[in-house]
Amino acid sequence: MCGVIARSGDLLKFFSSKNLSCSPRRFFELDPRLIVEHEVCYIFHSHPFGSSRPSSFDKINCKRINIPYLIYSIRDEDFYVYNGV
């Protein structure tokens, strides 16, 4: 699962995206319109098999777009926020 958490008035709202990656079991790729059309606070995605800690791919892309990642581990049932630091 992937998407963005964005401001909607005074609230935060989740907008889901189809994973557009060619390797969706290993990587995720959002519909870029979500980032352009919303005031994004977090990029959200799940790690189905690993921990909620960011992968090297997550770290690189989070720093590149300068939007924190909210990662959910399905295996461990926990969240991790990575802000690029």
Side-chain angles (χ1 to χ4, degrees):
M1 174 177 257
C2 62
V4 300
I5 297 172
R7 291 203 186 282
S8 180
D10 292 338
L11 303 173
L12 293 179
K13 185 175 177 183
F14 177 68
F15 297 90
S16 65
S17 174
K18 180 178 179 185
N19 187 346
L20 303 176
S21 171
C22 295
S23 300
R25 293 180 65 90
R26 295 186 58 224
F27 302 105
F28 78 97
E29 183 178 337
L30 298 174
D31 181 341
R33 290 178 292 185
L34 284 175
I35 296 172
V36 173
E37 294 173 356
H38 300 285
E39 186 181 341
V40 177
C41 298
Y42 299 95
I43 301 293
F44 172 80
H45 71 282
S46 60
H47 286 176
F49 308 108
S51 79
S52 58
R53 297 291 178 162
S55 67
S56 56
F57 180 78
D58 292 335
K59 290 177 181 178
I60 290 167
N61 287 299
C62 178
K63 289 177 184 178
R64 183 175 292 149
I65 64 171
N66 199 30
I67 300 172
Y69 273 28
L70 176 60
I71 305 166
Y72 179 71
S73 168
I74 294 171
R75 180 192 74 189
D76 299 337
E77 298 182 348
D78 67 354
F79 289 92
Y80 187 87
V81 175
Y82 180 73
N83 62 10
V85 194

